[in-house]
Amino acid sequence: MAVKRVVANIAAPTLDEARRFYGDLLGMSVVMDLGWIITFAGPGTAPPQISVATEGGSGMPVPDISIEVDDLDEVHRRAVSAGTAIVYGPVNEPWGVRRFFLRDPFGGLVNILEH
Protein backbone atom coordinates (compact mmCIF):
# COMPACT_ATOMS: atom_id res chain seq x y z
CA MET A 1 0.00 0.00 0.00
CA ALA A 2 1.24 3.48 -0.87
CA VAL A 3 -0.31 6.90 -0.47
CA LYS A 4 -0.35 8.41 -3.95
CA ARG A 5 -1.76 11.88 -3.31
CA VAL A 6 -2.88 14.21 -0.53
CA VAL A 7 -5.47 16.83 -1.46
CA ALA A 8 -6.72 19.59 0.81
CA ASN A 9 -10.49 20.11 0.60
CA ILE A 10 -11.85 23.57 1.37
CA ALA A 11 -15.56 24.16 1.97
CA ALA A 12 -16.92 27.14 0.04
CA PRO A 13 -20.36 28.60 -0.67
CA THR A 14 -19.45 29.24 -4.34
CA LEU A 15 -16.71 28.14 -6.72
CA ASP A 16 -16.25 31.44 -8.58
CA GLU A 17 -13.92 32.89 -5.94
CA ALA A 18 -11.92 29.66 -5.97
CA ARG A 19 -11.40 30.03 -9.73
CA ARG A 20 -10.17 33.60 -9.27
CA PHE A 21 -7.89 32.83 -6.31
CA TYR A 22 -6.41 29.42 -7.15
CA GLY A 23 -6.78 29.72 -10.94
CA ASP A 24 -6.16 33.37 -11.80
CA LEU A 25 -4.00 34.48 -8.87
CA LEU A 26 -1.91 31.33 -8.39
CA GLY A 27 -2.05 30.10 -12.01
CA MET A 28 -3.23 26.60 -11.14
CA SER A 29 -5.12 24.58 -13.75
CA VAL A 30 -8.52 23.02 -13.27
CA VAL A 31 -7.98 19.25 -13.50
CA MET A 32 -11.50 18.26 -12.41
CA ASP A 33 -14.76 20.20 -12.37
CA LEU A 34 -17.96 18.43 -11.37
CA GLY A 35 -19.91 21.64 -10.80
CA TRP A 36 -19.90 21.20 -7.03
CA ILE A 37 -16.16 20.48 -6.63
CA ILE A 38 -13.18 21.83 -8.55
CA THR A 39 -9.69 20.38 -8.22
CA PHE A 40 -6.77 22.62 -9.13
CA ALA A 41 -3.23 21.44 -9.81
CA GLY A 42 0.10 22.96 -10.65
CA PRO A 43 2.48 21.63 -13.29
CA GLY A 44 4.70 18.62 -12.70
CA THR A 45 4.48 15.92 -10.12
CA ALA A 46 5.45 15.88 -6.47
CA PRO A 47 5.49 13.19 -3.82
CA PRO A 48 2.52 13.24 -1.44
CA GLN A 49 3.14 15.28 1.67
CA ILE A 50 1.28 16.17 4.80
CA SER A 51 2.57 18.39 7.59
CA VAL A 52 1.50 18.37 11.22
CA ALA A 53 2.50 21.43 13.25
CA THR A 54 1.97 23.05 16.63
CA GLU A 55 2.63 26.50 15.13
CA GLY A 56 3.26 28.09 11.75
CA GLY A 57 6.79 29.27 12.50
CA SER A 58 7.96 32.79 13.40
CA GLY A 59 5.02 33.13 15.79
CA MET A 60 2.40 32.60 13.08
CA PRO A 61 -0.60 30.25 13.38
CA VAL A 62 -0.52 26.98 11.48
CA PRO A 63 -1.66 27.66 7.89
CA ASP A 64 -4.48 25.58 6.41
CA ILE A 65 -2.40 24.89 3.31
CA SER A 66 1.09 25.58 2.00
CA ILE A 67 1.69 26.17 -1.69
CA GLU A 68 5.21 26.22 -3.09
CA VAL A 69 5.69 28.47 -6.12
CA ASP A 70 8.60 29.17 -8.45
CA ASP A 71 8.25 32.99 -8.34
CA LEU A 72 7.10 34.26 -4.97
CA ASP A 73 7.49 37.92 -5.90
CA GLU A 74 5.20 37.51 -8.91
CA VAL A 75 2.50 35.78 -6.83
CA HIS A 76 2.83 38.51 -4.19
CA ARG A 77 2.47 41.21 -6.86
CA ARG A 78 -0.63 39.50 -8.26
CA ALA A 79 -2.14 39.14 -4.78
CA VAL A 80 -1.61 42.81 -3.98
CA SER A 81 -3.00 43.82 -7.42
CA ALA A 82 -6.09 41.69 -6.76
CA GLY A 83 -6.62 43.45 -3.42
CA THR A 84 -5.90 40.33 -1.40
CA ALA A 85 -4.82 41.21 2.13
CA ILE A 86 -1.36 39.94 3.01
CA VAL A 87 -1.35 38.61 6.57
CA TYR A 88 2.42 38.11 6.96
CA GLY A 89 5.56 38.80 4.95
CA PRO A 90 7.10 38.38 2.47
CA VAL A 91 9.99 37.33 4.65
CA ASN A 92 13.10 35.16 4.39
CA GLU A 93 12.76 32.60 7.17
CA PRO A 94 15.76 31.17 9.07
CA TRP A 95 14.94 27.63 7.85
CA GLY A 96 15.59 28.58 4.23
CA VAL A 97 12.26 29.56 2.68
CA ARG A 98 10.91 32.90 1.53
CA ARG A 99 7.19 33.13 2.18
CA PHE A 100 4.08 35.15 2.86
CA PHE A 101 0.66 34.33 4.28
CA LEU A 102 -2.67 35.47 2.89
CA ARG A 103 -6.29 34.49 3.30
CA ASP A 104 -8.15 32.72 0.55
CA PRO A 105 -11.69 33.92 -0.21
CA PHE A 106 -13.10 31.39 2.28
CA GLY A 107 -10.99 32.52 5.25
CA GLY A 108 -8.34 29.80 4.94
CA LEU A 109 -4.82 30.80 5.90
CA VAL A 110 -2.54 30.09 2.92
CA ASN A 111 1.26 29.90 3.19
CA ILE A 112 2.83 30.84 -0.18
CA LEU A 113 6.48 29.81 -0.20
CA GLU A 114 9.55 29.52 -2.39
CA HIS A 115 12.67 27.50 -1.54
Side-chain angles (χ1 to χ4, degrees):
M1 196 282 304
V3 174
K4 294 183 72 176
R5 180 169 67 141
V6 175
V7 177
N9 294 305
I10 300 168
T14 177
L15 301 178
D16 293 337
E17 286 296 316
R19 286 182 194 280
R20 282 190 281 280
F21 186 83
Y22 291 100
D24 298 342
L25 177 68
L26 292 172
M28 298 176 81
S29 300
V30 173
V31 295
M32 181 183 77
D33 183 350
L34 300 179
W36 56 271
I37 184 172
I38 296 176
T39 300
F40 297 89
T45 59
Q49 293 184 331
I50 188 166
S51 297
V52 179
T54 59
E55 58 137 320
S58 296
M60 293 301 296
V62 176
D64 296 297
I65 189 170
S66 294
I67 299 174
E68 183 178 355
V69 298
D70 64 356
D71 189 342
L72 184 109
D73 293 326
E74 173 62 14
V75 175
H76 183 264
R77 184 195 64 73
R78 291 166 76 176
V80 170
S81 279
T84 305
I86 306 302
V87 177
Y88 173 73
V91 64
N92 294 322
E93 298 288 10
W95 55 91
V97 300
R98 181 167 167 74
R99 70 181 183 159
F100 68 95
F101 282 17
L102 48 73
R103 294 248 177 229
D104 73 10
F106 320 110
L109 188 60
V110 181
N111 172 29
I112 306 292
L113 69 122
E114 180 178 35
H115 278 99

